[in-house]
Amino acid sequence: MALYSEKVMDHFTNPRNVGKIDDADGIGEVGNAKCGDIMKIYLKIENDIIVDVKFNTFGCGSAIASSSMATELIKGQPLSKALELTNKAVAEALDGLPAHKMHCSVLAEEAIRAAIKDYYDRHGIEYDKTLFPDPHDEEEEHRGEEN
Amino acid sequence: MTKVIYADNAATTAMSDKAIEAMTPYFKEVYGNPSSLHTVGQVAKEALESARGKVAKCLNCEPSEIYFTSGGSESDNQCIRSAALQGARKGKKHIITTAFEHHAVLHTLKKLEKEGFEVTYLDVHSNGLVTAEEVKAAIRGDTALVTVMFANNEVGTIQPIAEIGKVCRETGVIFHTDAVQAAGHIPVDVKAMNIDMLSISAHKFHGPKGVGALYCRRGLPLFTFIEGGAQERGKRAGTENIAGIVGMSAALEEACSKLKENGEYLTRLREKLIDGLLKIPHSKLNGDRSRRLPGNVNMCFEGVEGESLLLLLDAKGICASSGSACTSGSLDPSHVLLALGLPHEVAHGSLRLSLSEANTEEDIDYIVEEVPKVIEYLRNMSPVWEELEKGIRKHLI
């Protein structure tokens, strides 16, 4: 299949870490059903380490593959490492995404950040606010990226 | 690899054996240029004119009213541009169309709007149909053209072409129809239906790609689309694609000879497929159920996204298509589904299965068995579906 790399197809057809965590410590949801993709990340955190992570995604093949790869990349990692994860790293780990699908990797990065922020907020943990820019209109941003 | 069930015949069809057989000699033995005066050229010329006669017969017009083109898009462009030019010369700069035409029509009209034309886009309602009365009500003194597609390429709805043709003839407005999805699938009769201009494309009825035709009623001026030669009576320069044209005429002749039996067979398969897929909860058939192409099924499934659905079906050997944004190459889902009034989030979960005579009852059984599994799998990982099920988000279908 020429549309996606073998790695994207592998993560799309056999996604890792699909599901939910009932007693999650942090949950992040980004995207918009109107635009065709929503990503939801669940984190279980112990001593600043992501001990478990699950995702639910509504979206195209690359959105599901990006979610799967992103969860793989942060599982077992300290939060500081997870916060450093960029969309580029997700795309590269998937052996690349078509140009018009790069926003899927952006969603994965944003979903993880949103989940970590949720963890900090819920647990009253102090954090560097600049790491988490104000929530913006996701639809707007989503559109802006492609144009 | 597993067996491939090709159910994307609205995108393109496999060539028929008859079309391939008819074309083959024109690559090697009959290689002449029809414009050449010698025997080698004249043999090609005869083939060209014989093909023109066959196409004309299938559409019920004169051979001199058929012009060969590179396909449906070119035919649409030339017909619309031609009618617009004529209208403009008489000070008529209003065009009527529908909101869900093919982009070959819509984009041409968008350009004409920039050039000073006014375009009325008729609502196609939730069933994907316009009425002749609506067309009649939109016609004005300065209307130059009505262009309404014969059958829609995504949802397969068949417009009341004969009735619209009658209205246009009575009011003296040029009537063009994009019959790319209709020709060779349902009866098309330009005389009985009062059609002035029409577009067809060979690869939609088991002919080769890159070749099509337009019909322009005698007496109606046709403007020259490609300059540079006397081919196609000076209306379309360029050495003719003889093999393609011969292949198209053979394919159309064959399709038209089996119109009734193929139509009945496909309608049976279609109904079975629709019944099977409608059993999936929160699913919906898009477009009128009975006034649609025999082989067209277009459904929406809530809570799933079309591209992932397509890719998973492909892995199971089922080739289909979707109107989701991810498959359209743009950010919005199909303009056709939006024209039917579907919300964006529902339109993203669309699936089009377009059947051909090569499909069997067993194919339908397999599709009906596999699609629900894929939908369930995707819904299980969909946060949208979760919200729908929990009542946080309202079911729309």
Side-chain angles (χ1 to χ4, degrees), chain A residues 1 3-4 9 12-15 18 20 29 33-40 42 55-62 64 100-101 103 142-143 146-147, chain B residues 302-305 307-309 311-312 314-315 325-327 329-333 344-345 348-349 377-387 390 393:
Chain A
M1 164 127 355
L3 178 62
Y4 291 129
M9 285 311 288
F12 166 54
T13 52
N14 303 294
V18 177
K20 287 173 270 186
E29 182 179 315
K34 245 187 115 178
C35 294
D37 33 34
I38 290 190
M39 228 175 256
K40 200 167 180 180
Y42 299 80
F55 80 89
N56 262 203
T57 290
F58 160 82
C60 59
S62 59
I64 291 169
H100 66 290
K101 299 285 188 178
H103 75 271
H142 187 157
R143 276 164 198 276
E146 290 255 327
N147 290 333
Chain B
E302 226 175 354
V304 302
E305 193 280 330
E307 192 216 69
S308 44
L309 177 58
L311 293 177
L312 290 176
D314 185 45
C326 277
T327 56
S330 77
L331 282 164
D332 285 320
H344 279 66
E345 46 270 58
H348 283 303
Y377 170 75
L378 288 171
R379 279 178 172 172
N380 277 339
M381 71 162 92
S382 164
V384 175
W385 183 249
E386 186 191 0
E387 288 181 13
K390 281 184 179 164
R393 191 183 280 273

Side-chain angles (χ1 to χ4, degrees), chain B residues 196-271:
Chain B
D196 295 314
M197 301 178 114
L198 167 142
S199 313
I200 63 169
S201 176
H203 75 103
K204 305 293 190 184
F205 47 77
H206 306 288
K209 291 165 186 64
V211 59
L214 70 81
Y215 151 81
C216 181
R217 185 169 58 81
R218 190 170 26 199
L220 202 61
L222 185 67
F223 107 123
T224 301
F225 199 60
I226 298 179
E227 303 283 353
Q231 292 91 351
E232 298 303 295
R233 296 178 297 292
K235 303 302 180 192
R236 204 264 187 191
T239 300
E240 300 86 344
N241 172 8
I242 300 291
I245 289 166
V246 168
M248 169 166 67
S249 69
L252 187 60
E253 196 174 45
E254 186 186 12
C256 289
S257 73
K258 295 181 189 164
L259 217 54
K260 194 164 178 282
E261 56 173 291
N262 282 347
E264 285 168 3
Y265 174 68
L266 285 177
T267 303
R268 203 171 70 238
L269 292 191
R270 178 193 75 194
E271 290 303 297

Side-chain angles (χ1 to χ4, degrees), chain B residues 303-354:
Chain B
V304 302
E305 193 280 330
E307 192 216 69
S308 44
L309 177 58
L310 282 194
L311 293 177
L312 290 176
L313 288 177
D314 185 45
K316 290 173 182 274
I318 300 169
C319 300
S321 142
S322 170
S324 81
C326 277
T327 56
S328 73
S330 77
L331 282 164
D332 285 320
S334 137
H335 71 289
V336 172
L337 299 177
L338 296 181
L340 264 61
L342 288 174
H344 279 66
E345 46 270 58
V346 174
H348 283 303
S350 80
L351 177 70
R352 180 187 71 184
L353 295 152
S354 43

